[in-house]
Amino acid sequence: DFHLGFAFDDLTARYVRDVPPIEAASGHASIADNRFVLFLDSGHVDAARGGRIDLAGSSFVIPDIRVRRGPAQARLKTRGPITAALSLLDAPPFRFLTKAGQPVTLADGQARLDGRLDFLVKKQLTPEEVAFEVEGTLEDLRSDSLLEGRVLRARRLTLEASNDRIEIAGEARVDGVPLRGAWSMPLGPETGGASRVRGRVELSPRVAEAFGIGLPPGSLSGAGRARVEIDFARGTPPRFALSSDLAGLGLRLPQFGWSLGTAQTGQLDVSGRLGAVPRIDALRLDAAGLQARGSVTLTADGTLQRADFSRVEIGDWLRAPVSLLGR
């Protein structure tokens, strides 16, 4: 039986091939019962993009040094810029974001993440031979990449990541509009860069203005809630679907002499594409005796150009297609 222990200072170590090495590390290590453990009191990694990540509190473990090319674990405690953390996830042999068609510059802010890498002590590791789980928080996040033409901000979001997916959840604002939900992106060579946002968003006059829903000025009052889904695919503008029961929201269409009070409810469904100029492919409204089905065309600045309804019914006195022109 033997035990070996030592301290170290100013250490440079590479724990996975092609991943940026740990530098300026200090701490201690030991071998006991054929188990090797290295613990960092201090140290950092300079990521390929985004800056420096502090690794104090991280460790590297080989459960049994007698096993050739046996399993090893890197238990990481990281603090640093979000871009730097994503850059590490995208380093060889992982390339998780590249395979999903997403840049490491997805967002700015600070990341506090704890994770675990399980792999074999061997050369030329393949992604299938590296398993990882990461969880933590993203703080002071800002992104103008997730939603083209929109700025997403959040004070604090939670992050969970594994070989299968990345999910970021919490409360955020898109162009100042409150949103609570989760963004998830499957990882792997066959995902095609697809990802999705699901959540609840405020429905109010400022939302209609920020997202160019296309209703005439003065049509909305009060505030309600809506369920929203946004699907992202590589090379195409994001598609969205929004639905609401209109509770708490006032709606007025003077062209039809029709209105919905904030105490009433109904059903609103809107779907289309986001981007610099949103496109509304389908709009359905059922409320207070009004039924309407149509689509909306917006101008370059996001205001109403034309709304074409293939079917409008109001009580028993109107059943006809209707077109509304913007000013």
Side-chain angles (χ1 to χ4, degrees):
D1 296 330
F2 68 93
H3 176 274
L4 169 68
F6 61 90
F8 57 88
D9 186 50
D10 197 23
L11 172 74
T12 298
R14 190 180 300 276
Y15 55 96
V16 177
R17 182 183 176 184
D18 297 325
V19 174
I22 300 170
E23 299 182 272
S26 64
H28 57 272
S30 65
I31 297 176
D33 295 328
N34 297 303
R35 176 182 174 88
F36 174 76
V37 178
L38 182 147
F39 184 85
L40 296 183
D41 295 318
S42 65
H44 66 263
V45 166
D46 288 323
R49 296 281 300 273
R52 177 169 293 181
I53 297 178
D54 180 49
L55 294 176
S58 299
S59 62
F60 175 72
V61 178
I62 300 177
D64 192 340
I65 60 176
R66 297 171 298 180
V67 180
R68 187 178 182 186
R69 300 188 184 92
Q73 302 162 357
R75 298 173 179 173
L76 304 177
K77 297 182 73 68
T78 69
R79 308 291 182 267
I82 292 174
T83 299
L86 294 177
S87 180
L88 284 186
L89 289 177
D90 203 44
F94 315 126
R95 295 296 191 194
F96 294 118
L97 274 78
T98 297
K99 292 174 182 177
Q102 296 290 339
V104 298
T105 54
L106 201 62
D108 296 322
Q110 294 295 309
R112 301 173 62 87
L113 305 176
D114 297 338
R116 170 172 166 168
L117 297 174
D118 289 275
F119 52 92
L120 300 177
V121 183
K122 57 176 286 189
K123 296 181 179 180
Q124 298 179 343
L125 280 171
T126 65
E128 292 74 21
E129 294 174 314
V130 180
F132 80 96
E133 294 182 355
V134 177
E135 63 180 18
T137 60
L138 306 177
E139 299 172 353
D140 299 323
L141 180 142
R142 181 187 184 278
S143 174
D144 55 13
S145 298
L146 283 174
L147 295 172
E148 181 183 358
R150 309 290 173 185
V151 177
L152 183 146
R153 299 177 185 270
R155 294 186 61 185
R156 186 179 183 276
L157 299 175
T158 61
L159 179 145
E160 295 182 0
S162 65
N163 294 71
D164 299 325
R165 67 183 181 94
I166 295 177
E167 180 173 292
I168 300 173
E171 296 183 356
R173 289 180 177 267
V174 179
D175 285 354
V177 176
L179 168 70
R180 180 176 182 83
W183 170 74
S184 61
M185 179 175 69
L187 299 176
E190 300 178 356
T191 63
S195 63
R196 172 174 289 183
V197 168
R198 288 181 175 175
R200 299 186 69 85
V201 66
E202 176 187 293
L203 192 57
S204 64
R206 64 174 173 175
V207 175
E209 181 179 354
F211 286 89
I213 291 179
L215 294 173
S219 298
L220 296 179
S221 60
R225 305 290 292 177
R227 296 179 299 276
V228 64
E229 290 189 5
I230 306 173
D231 291 312
F232 303 88
R234 187 185 303 177
T236 62
R239 294 196 62 86
F240 77 94
L242 179 147
S243 62
S244 173
D245 64 4
L246 303 175
L249 184 72
L251 184 58
R252 178 173 173 269
L253 299 177
Q255 296 90 339
F256 300 142
W258 176 90
S259 63
L260 176 77
T262 56
Q264 296 175 283
T265 60
Q267 185 63 40
L268 173 68
D269 297 300
V270 182
S271 62
R273 293 184 181 272
L274 295 175
V277 180
R279 191 178 81 193
I280 298 176
D281 299 321
L283 187 152
R284 181 174 72 90
L285 176 63
D286 292 327
L290 169 67
Q291 294 185 358
R293 309 286 187 274
S295 61
V296 178
T297 303
L298 304 176
T299 63
D301 61 1
T303 59
L304 175 66
Q305 177 176 324
R306 184 183 183 93
D308 293 305
F309 294 93
S310 59
R311 173 189 170 198
V312 175
E313 294 186 13
I314 302 179
D316 295 327
W317 66 272
L318 176 64
R319 288 187 175 89
V322 174
S323 294
L324 300 177
L325 300 178
R327 295 179 181 178

